[in-house]
Amino acid sequence: NRLLKRKVEISLKANSRNRLLRQLARCALEYHCFAAKNVFFRRWECPLPTSPSCNAACIGCISLQPSECCPASMERIGFVPTREEVVGVALPHLKEAEDAIVSFGQGCEGEPLMQWQLLERSIRELRERTDRGTINLNTNGSFPDRVAKLCDAGLNSLRVTLNSPHPKYYNRYHKPKGYTFGKVVKSLILEKEKGIYTSINLLVFPGFTDREREIEGLVGLIKKTNLDLIQMRNLNIDPDLYLQAMGKGEGVGISKMIEILKKEFPS
C-alpha cells in the first residue's frame, strides 16, 4: 500500500494536469480498484473511464442509483477527458506494461459509446503511435454503427455486458433508453465479422441464469454471434430485488449450466 501511494504521488507529480490520471489515482487509493492500481504499477489492464452519461439504468448499477434507492458503490466520473488526457494515460501503458491492455468502459462511468468520437480519435492516435498491446472496449453494445467505427479505428477486442439472452429479461434489468436488445446482438455479430475478439460479460445469478429457457437462449445467442468467450460475472445484488424484477423460476444449477455450454461449445 505504501509502494502504491508512492507510485501514485510520482505519477501525479509528473502529470499534474491530467484529470483522468487523477480520477484513476482516486479509484486506486479510495476504491481499491485493482485495474486502477495497474496503471501505477505499469502492468496488465489499464482502465480508461470517459463517460459520465449512460443510456441504460441497470438495477445493479454500481456508479449511479436513484436517490430513493441505496447509495451507489462509487462516485461516477464527473467529466469527459480530452483526447490528450486519454492518450497521456494509455500510450505509456501500451508501450511499457507487461501484457498491456487498455480498456474503455469501467465501473466508475456510464456507457463509453456515448463518447464514441473521443474513443475513435484516441484509438486512432494510439494505433498511429504504437501497435503494442490490446485496446479493449467494455460496452452495452447499443450502437452498432459506432462499434463499427471503433473497430475500423483499431479496436482489438470488445465485451458486451448482459444479464439474459431474452429481450424481456434484458429490458427488466438493463432498462435501455433509446435502443433495443436487437442492436446489442447486431453489435456482437458485426464486431465478430470485422475480426475483433468478441466476448460477453454474462451477469450470473444462480436460480435465474441457469433456468432451462435462459440456457437455451444463451446457446442460441452464441450460435448466432459466434462469440469467442463468455465471461461469467457473479451479479452481486440483493436476491429479493433481482427476483422481484425477473419473476420466479427454478434453475438446474450453475455447474450443470457450465457442463451444457462446454458440451455445446468445446472451444
Side-chain angles (χ1 to χ4, degrees), residues 29 32 38 41 51 54-55 57 71-72 76 80 88 90 111 116 118-119 138 145 152 169-170 193-195 233 265 267:
L29 295 172
H32 303 285
N38 290 340
F41 284 107
S51 180
C54 195
N55 58 345
R76 183 177 289 182
V80 178
E111 170 51 45
W116 70 275
L118 166 65
L119 270 60
N138 302 311
D145 53 335
D152 293 340
Y169 297 114
Y170 178 90
E193 284 173 353
K194 284 186 174 283
R233 177 69 62 90
F265 310 102
S267 62

Side-chain angles (χ1 to χ4, degrees), residues 60 63 80 113 193 196 213:
S63 66
V80 178
L113 288 177
E193 284 173 353
I196 302 296
R213 189 161 177 268

